[in-house]
Amino acid sequence: MSKNTTDTPSDQPDRNVPRQTAEALRESEAMFRVIFTQVSDLILLLDIPSKGVPVIQDVSDSVVRLLGYAREELIGKPVSVLDPDLTAALVAARTKAVSEGASFVAKHRCKDGSVREFECSATLRTAGGKNLGISVERDITERRKAEGELQFRAALLDNATDAIQATGLDGKLVYVNETTLRTTGYTRAELLGQGISMLDSAEDAALTPARLKQLTRDGSALFSLRRIRKDGTSFPVEAYARLIELEGRKIIVAVDRDVTERDNAMSDIRESYEIQGVLNAILQRSLEPMPLQKKLAEHLATLLSIPWLAVEPKGAVFLVNGQTLVMTSQQGLASSLLTACARLPFGKCLCGRAAARGEVVTADHVGPEHEISYEGIAPHGHYCAPIIAAGKTLGVLNLYLKVGTAITGKRKDFLKAVTDVLAADILHEQVAEQLAHSQKMDAIGHMAGGVAHDFNNILSAIMGYASFLRAAIPASDPNHADVEEIMKAGERAAGLTKQLLAFSRKQVAEQKALDLDQIVPEVLKMIRRMVAEDIEFKTFLNSAPAQVLANQGQLEQVLINLAVNARDAMPDGGKLTFETAQVELDENYVIGHPGTKPGCHVMLAVSDTGSGMSPEVVAHIFEPFYTTKEQGKGTGLGLSTVYGIIKQLNGSVYVYSEPGKGTTFKIYLPIAAGETCAEPSKNAAIPSYRGTETILVVEDDEAVRKFVSRLLSQNGYSVLEASKPREAVKLCELRRDISLLLTDLVMPQMNGYELSKVVSAMHPGIKVVFMSGYTNNSIPRQTIGEPGIVFLEKPLKTEAVLRKIREALEGLPK
C-alpha cells in the first residue's frame, strides 16, 4: 500500500472530531458563563442528596447582585443559608413539584436581612452518580407587592360605606363593589355588562342618557336620584360621578351615598316644625270667640289639609250625648254616609268603639269592623281618637286614612295634642253653658229679690190698712170675716216673698258655727208631723265634730223643703233618709261641677224612694215657680229656696234621680274656718291596697267606668269592663277567673242588685261591691246588707275605692 494513498472517510477516522467537540464544549460553557453573569433571573446549581437539604454548587452573578452575598459565602453551603425557614417537609414538597413539572414560590433572605420572593422553576439531572438540580428563579417581590396593593385597594372599595360603580361611556357596568351588591340585592354576574339604568327608578332611568352626556362634557357631576333594589323597593342616594381615563380607556366612576337617614332626619325636623306651627294655629283659634261647631269645623279643616299626615280630605267630629255619638262637624263625607253616621251608639263601628273604650281605634282598610257602609264606598282606613277631659269622653275625632297607610308615633302624639285642644274647647263650652245656667239663676234671683222687695212694700200697705179695717169693724159684722181673709192672704203672700228673698240670697240672717248632727234630729220632730205615717224615717249622722257656718233657721228651712218635696213624691209611702258625713272634694270633682270648691265639706243628703225625675225635669227644678205638681198643689218655690240658701252659704247642691228610682239631694257645705277634715280611718289589717285579682267593672256612665278601670289597673288588678248588665253576664260566661263584681246600683236592663244575683249564681263565692250616686243609707237594706257586699258612694275617691275593694276581697269587717 502506497503511503500517499488517502484513506476514505469510511476507512479512516477524522482526527478533527475531538478538537471540534472540545471547541463546542468551550463555546457552550462560555455561553453558560455569559448566561450566569448576565441573566437577570437567579440560577442556582444544587447538589441534591438523597436525604437532607440541597447544597449550593454554584450561583449566577444575579444571585450575588440581588441577594448581596459573595459567591464564596454560598458555594458549598446548604440552600437553607438563603431560606432559614426551610424544612424537610418543604424540601419534599418542592422536590415533588419539580418532578411533576410544576413551579413553586420560595423566599430568600438577603444579606441585609430583607426577604424577597421568587417564582422557581427547577430541573433534576443525574451525572456521575449524583443528583444535580438547576433552579431558575424570577424575582416576584414587586409583583407580589403590587398584587397586595391591588387586593388592599379592592378590599377598601368592597368595604367602603358608599356604593361604587364604574361604567363605560355607553353606561354599561364594568365594575361594582360589594356595597353595591349588598344594598341592591343583585349579584355581580347580574350587574356586570348591564346598563346602570337598571339600578335607577323609572324617572331617573329616563334621565340616564342626558346625564352620561353631561359627564362626557363636564367631567363630573352630582346627582340626587333613587336607586332600585332587586325586590323593587327604592332608596334615595346622592351620586357623585366623575370621568377618568384608565389605560387609555375613558371610564365613568359613580360613588353613591345612601341618604335615607339624612332625608328622614330632615323630614323629621321639618315635620316637627310644621306640627308646632299647626298646633299653634289651632291653639290660637281655640282662644277666639266663635260658636263651638264652627271652631270644630275649622280645626278639622286644618288637619285635613296637612299633606304629610297621610289622611284623605274626609273626616268628622262627634260629640257625646249620653251613650250616643252625634256628628257635629264633618268634611268631604257622602250624603248617604252623613245620614248613617248622624247618631252612633257607643261600641258600634270604629268611632263607637273608640268612645266606649276611651282609646284610639284604627283600621288600614274597609273591613267588617266598620259596620257602616254605603254604595260606592272607596277603599280607605280610619283613625278614630277619643276626645277626653277630666276622665270623661266628650267626643271622637274621625280621620280617613289613605289606603294602606298608618299613623306614626310622632303623628299619634300630634293628634293626641289636637284632641286635647278639642277637649278643652268642648269642656269650655259645657262649662260656659253651666255658667250661663248659673248666671240665669242669679239673674232670676236678682229679679225675684226686686219683685219680693217691692211686693213686700205693697203687702205692708195692704196688711196695714186691712188691720185698720179689722180694728174698726166689730167681730159680729159679716164684713169682719172678709177682712180676716184679706189678712190671711197677705200673710201667705208674705211667706212667698220670704221664699223669693231666700232664693235671691237677700235674706239677712245671722250665721254661726253649727253642728248638723244636732240640728237634724230637732227638725225631724217637726217634719214627722208633716208627713204620712206610711213614710219610714232613717237617719245616719256622721259629720261631727265638723261644723258649718250657717243660720239655723235657714238650715231648718232647707230640711223642711226637701222633706216636703220627698213626701209629695211618695204618695203611697216609702222611706225618707237623712244623712250627714265629712267629705273631701278633689280637683276632678270640681272640674265636672262648676261652682264647687275643693276641700273639706259637710255633706247633707236627703233621699227618698219615690217616683224620681227625668233629666229634663232635673234641669229646671231649682228655677222659681217651676213645678210638676198639679195646679194649686205647690208654688214652685220650695227647691228654689233650698238653692238660694245653699248658695248664700257658699255651698253647692246636686241631684241624683231617675224615673222610678227615687231621688237623692246632696248638699255640700264648707266646714267652718279653723276646722279640718277628720283623717279617714284605715284598716290596719291591710298592708297594701294593691292586688292581682280580676275585677269586673259594670257602670253605664262611661267616665266613671274609665276612671275606676284605670285606677284598678294602675294598682295591679286585671280589669274587665261592661257598660250594661247583659254585657257583664256575657263576660261572666266566658271568664271563670273573676274575683269581684264592682257594679253601679241603678242601671238600665236590670239593677246592680239583680245583676249580682245572676253573677253569684254563675260564680259562687264572688265578692260584690256596689257604687251609686244615691247614698249608702238610702238604698234598701236587703240590697246591700248581705255578707260580703260593700258599698261605695259617689263621688268616688281613690283611697276609698282601693280600700273597699281590698276589704271585700279579704273578707274584712266593713
Side-chain angles (χ1 to χ4, degrees):
M1 177 177 298
S2 174
K3 293 182 178 178
N4 297 323
T5 302
T6 304
D7 295 334
T8 64
S10 58
D11 296 330
Q12 298 294 325
D14 187 354
R15 292 183 178 85
N16 295 323
V17 169
R19 181 172 56 82
Q20 293 174 349
T21 301
E23 289 178 355
L25 285 175
R26 283 196 298 272
E27 290 176 0
S28 175
E29 184 175 345
M31 185 178 297
F32 180 75
R33 284 298 170 188
V34 169
I35 293 173
F36 240 47
T37 57
Q38 300 299 323
V39 71
S40 59
D41 290 343
L42 308 189
I43 301 177
L44 283 80
L45 301 181
L46 304 173
D47 180 8
I48 310 296
S50 58
K51 290 183 180 180
V53 177
V55 177
I56 300 172
Q57 294 295 313
D58 200 356
V59 296
S60 64
D61 288 357
S62 56
V63 173
V64 175
R65 288 195 306 270
L66 189 61
L67 299 185
Y69 296 98
R71 183 174 276 101
E72 300 79 44
E73 294 178 292
L74 298 177
I75 294 176
K77 303 291 176 64
V79 73
S80 57
V81 70
L82 296 176
D83 196 349
D85 298 327
L86 193 66
T87 62
L90 191 56
V91 169
R94 291 178 178 177
T95 302
K96 183 174 183 297
V98 171
S99 66
E100 294 175 353
S103 61
F104 60 89
V105 175
K107 291 182 179 181
H108 294 326
R109 189 180 304 279
C110 301
K111 190 171 182 178
D112 62 6
S114 62
V115 176
R116 302 187 72 83
E117 284 188 82
F118 297 86
E119 186 177 54
C120 305
S121 178
T123 57
L124 295 177
R125 293 287 186 270
T126 301
K130 292 184 178 181
N131 293 323
L132 300 177
I134 302 174
S135 178
V136 180
E137 303 179 357
R138 176 159 295 176
D139 189 352
I140 60 173
T141 304
E142 298 304 324
R143 190 185 79 187
R144 282 297 184 97
K145 186 182 295 185
E147 289 175 351
E149 288 179 357
L150 287 175
Q151 291 175 354
F152 177 71
R153 291 175 184 176
L156 285 178
L157 292 177
D158 284 339
N159 288 280
T161 305
D162 298 332
I164 302 172
Q165 309 97 37
T167 72
L169 296 181
D170 57 0
K172 291 185 177 181
L173 290 163
V174 297
Y175 170 80
V176 290
N177 70 343
E178 287 292 333
T179 306
T180 301
L181 305 179
R182 186 172 61 254
T183 56
T184 64
Y186 287 101
T187 64
R188 187 171 272 104
E190 290 173 319
L191 290 179
L192 294 181
Q194 302 297 320
I196 194 170
S197 58
M198 75 177 293
L199 294 176
D200 294 337
S201 65
E203 295 81 358
D204 288 309
L207 297 174
T208 298
R211 287 172 175 168
L212 290 173
K213 186 176 181 180
Q214 177 185 351
L215 283 166
T216 304
R217 182 187 70 243
D218 300 338
S220 64
L222 181 65
F223 304 113
S224 292
L225 45 83
R226 297 194 71 83
R227 294 296 192 198
I228 302 296
R229 300 184 181 92
K230 187 177 181 179
D231 61 10
T233 59
S234 66
F235 58 100
V237 301
E238 275 190 354
Y240 176 71
R242 186 175 180 181
L243 181 67
I244 65 173
E245 189 167 335
L246 185 64
E247 296 179 354
R249 181 184 179 189
K250 290 185 177 180
I251 301 293
I252 295 174
V253 178
V255 180
D256 289 356
R257 175 153 295 176
D258 188 337
V259 292
T260 302
E261 292 186 4
R262 187 202 67 183
D263 285 359
N264 288 343
M266 293 297 294
S267 176
D268 191 56
I269 293 171
R270 183 169 57 253
E271 185 175 308
S272 296
Y273 179 78
E274 292 174 349
I275 281 174
Q276 192 58 54
V278 172
L279 279 177
N280 289 340
I282 291 176
L283 286 168
Q284 181 64 37
R285 184 186 302 117
S286 180
L287 298 175
E288 297 175 4
M290 68 175 69
L292 177 64
Q293 186 170 356
K294 183 175 186 296
K295 188 176 292 187
L296 294 178
E298 293 192 9
H299 288 335
L300 180 63
T302 299
L303 285 177
L304 298 182
S305 68
I306 302 174
W308 46 260
L309 197 53
V311 296
E312 295 186 2
K314 300 177 183 178
V317 177
F318 297 88
L319 293 185
V320 169
N321 183 8
Q323 292 292 301
T324 303
L325 291 174
V326 180
M327 186 182 291
T328 304
S329 300
Q330 67 84 25
Q331 179 175 316
L333 302 186
S335 57
S336 56
L337 189 59
L338 292 177
T339 302
C341 294
R343 297 180 67 85
L344 299 173
F346 274 28
K348 295 294 183 180
C349 76
L350 297 176
C351 291
R353 291 192 186 98
R357 300 173 186 172
E359 58 188 32
V360 173
V361 175
T362 63
D364 58 6
H365 64 285
V366 178
E369 69 276 6
H370 280 65
E371 295 189 21
I372 295 176
S373 61
Y374 57 94
E375 186 176 354
I377 187 171
H380 66 274
H382 270 292
Y383 187 87
C384 302
I387 302 170
I388 299 174
K392 182 179 180 181
T393 298
L394 305 177
V396 171
L397 170 65
N398 176 26
L399 301 176
Y400 279 56
L401 300 179
K402 295 179 180 178
V403 179
T405 60
I407 301 295
T408 63
K410 174 182 283 190
R411 295 174 186 179
K412 288 179 181 178
D413 293 340
F414 163 64
L415 290 175
K416 175 62 171 61
V418 171
T419 57
D420 286 344
V421 176
L422 300 183
D425 289 342
I426 297 168
L427 186 62
H428 179 269
E429 181 77 5
Q430 293 180 350
V431 172
E433 290 176 358
Q434 294 175 346
L435 181 60
H437 181 267
S438 176
Q439 290 172 338
K440 180 184 74 172
M441 297 293 285
D442 288 343
I444 294 173
H446 286 299
M447 180 186 70
V451 170
H453 179 269
D454 292 341
F455 195 38
N456 267 338
N457 291 337
I458 296 171
L459 283 176
S460 297
I462 292 173
M463 295 181 69
Y465 285 107
S467 66
F468 292 154
L469 288 174
R470 184 174 59 180
I473 299 173
S476 57
D477 191 323
N479 293 322
H480 188 86
D482 294 338
V483 175
E484 287 292 343
E485 289 302 320
I486 293 173
M487 294 292 294
K488 291 178 182 178
E491 289 171 357
R492 288 197 301 273
L496 290 177
T497 60
K498 184 178 181 181
Q499 288 180 300
L500 283 173
L501 287 171
F503 170 74
S504 65
R505 307 173 219 175
K506 292 185 177 180
Q507 274 187 324
V508 179
E510 181 184 1
Q511 297 181 351
K512 60 180 180 179
L514 299 174
D515 184 350
L516 278 176
D517 288 3
Q518 294 179 2
I519 293 175
V520 172
E522 294 298 322
V523 180
L524 292 188
K525 294 176 184 178
M526 184 189 314
I527 294 174
R528 179 73 270 181
R529 296 191 294 270
M530 299 169 58
V531 300
E533 294 182 356
D534 58 358
I535 294 179
E536 177 187 2
F537 278 32
K538 292 288 185 180
T539 58
F540 302 89
L541 307 177
N542 298 291
S543 66
Q547 294 182 317
V548 297
L549 189 63
N551 176 269
Q552 182 164 342
Q554 289 180 322
L555 290 181
E556 290 173 353
Q557 185 68 51
V558 167
L559 288 165
I560 291 171
N561 288 8
L562 291 177
V564 170
N565 193 73
R567 177 200 65 189
D568 294 341
M570 298 184 291
D572 300 322
K575 186 176 72 171
L576 184 56
T577 303
F578 296 84
E579 183 178 358
T580 64
Q582 292 186 41
V583 297
E584 183 81 20
L585 301 183
D586 59 19
E587 293 291 345
N588 285 333
Y589 185 83
V590 170
I591 290 174
H593 299 79
T596 305
K597 296 180 180 179
C600 188
H601 291 68
V602 170
M603 182 203 70
L604 168 63
V606 179
S607 306
D608 65 61
T609 57
S611 56
M613 297 177 286
S614 68
E616 291 76 17
V617 172
V618 170
H620 297 283
I621 57 173
F622 294 123
E623 296 177 9
F625 307 112
Y626 178 84
T627 181
T628 58
K629 299 174 184 177
E630 298 177 13
Q631 189 171 359
K633 294 291 185 179
T635 63
L637 286 171
L639 294 179
S640 300
T641 302
V642 170
Y643 180 88
I645 291 173
I646 297 306
K647 288 297 181 181
Q648 189 173 1
L649 299 177
N650 296 318
S652 54
V653 55
Y654 300 101
V655 185
Y656 298 88
S657 186
E658 292 186 35
K661 306 292 186 180
T663 301
T664 291
F665 285 87
K666 283 187 176 181
I667 295 169
Y668 298 97
L669 296 172
I671 63 171
E675 297 198 23
T676 57
C677 270
E679 289 291 329
S681 59
K682 295 183 179 179
N683 194 323
I686 303 178
S688 170
Y689 293 150
R690 295 181 62 82
T692 58
E693 294 89 345
T694 299
I695 298 176
L696 173 57
V697 178
V698 189
E699 168 62 66
D700 57 341
D701 187 292
E702 191 264 349
V704 175
R705 185 175 69 253
K706 291 300 178 186
F707 159 70
V708 173
S709 299
R710 180 178 176 182
L711 174 64
L712 295 176
S713 297
Q714 288 177 343
N715 282 273
Y717 295 99
S718 296
V719 181
L720 303 175
E721 294 185 36
S723 60
K724 297 178 182 178
R726 288 173 188 161
E727 292 178 10
V729 173
K730 289 181 180 179
L731 284 172
C732 290
E733 291 173 349
L734 298 173
R735 299 288 293 265
R736 310 305 301 174
D737 58 339
I738 302 174
S739 301
L740 183 139
L741 170 67
L742 175 60
T743 176
D744 189 27
L745 192 58
V746 179
M747 294 184 294
Q749 298 178 352
M750 69 176 76
N751 62 41
Y753 178 68
E754 293 168 338
L755 174 63
S756 71
K757 290 297 183 185
V758 174
V759 172
S760 295
M762 300 170 66
H763 295 263
I766 191 172
K767 301 297 192 299
V768 179
V769 176
F770 286 136
M771 51 185 173
S772 179
Y774 298 93
T775 65
N776 180 0
N777 301 301
S778 67
I779 297 173
R781 287 286 91 194
Q782 70 269 22
T783 300
I784 61 170
E786 298 179 4
I789 296 180
V790 187
F791 181 80
L792 276 168
E793 184 179 338
K794 297 176 183 177
L796 300 174
K797 299 175 182 64
T798 300
E799 188 274 340
V801 172
L802 296 175
R803 175 166 50 85
K804 291 286 188 179
I805 291 293
R806 286 313 316 163
E807 286 177 354
L809 289 170
E810 300 291 343
L812 298 173
K814 300 179 284 294

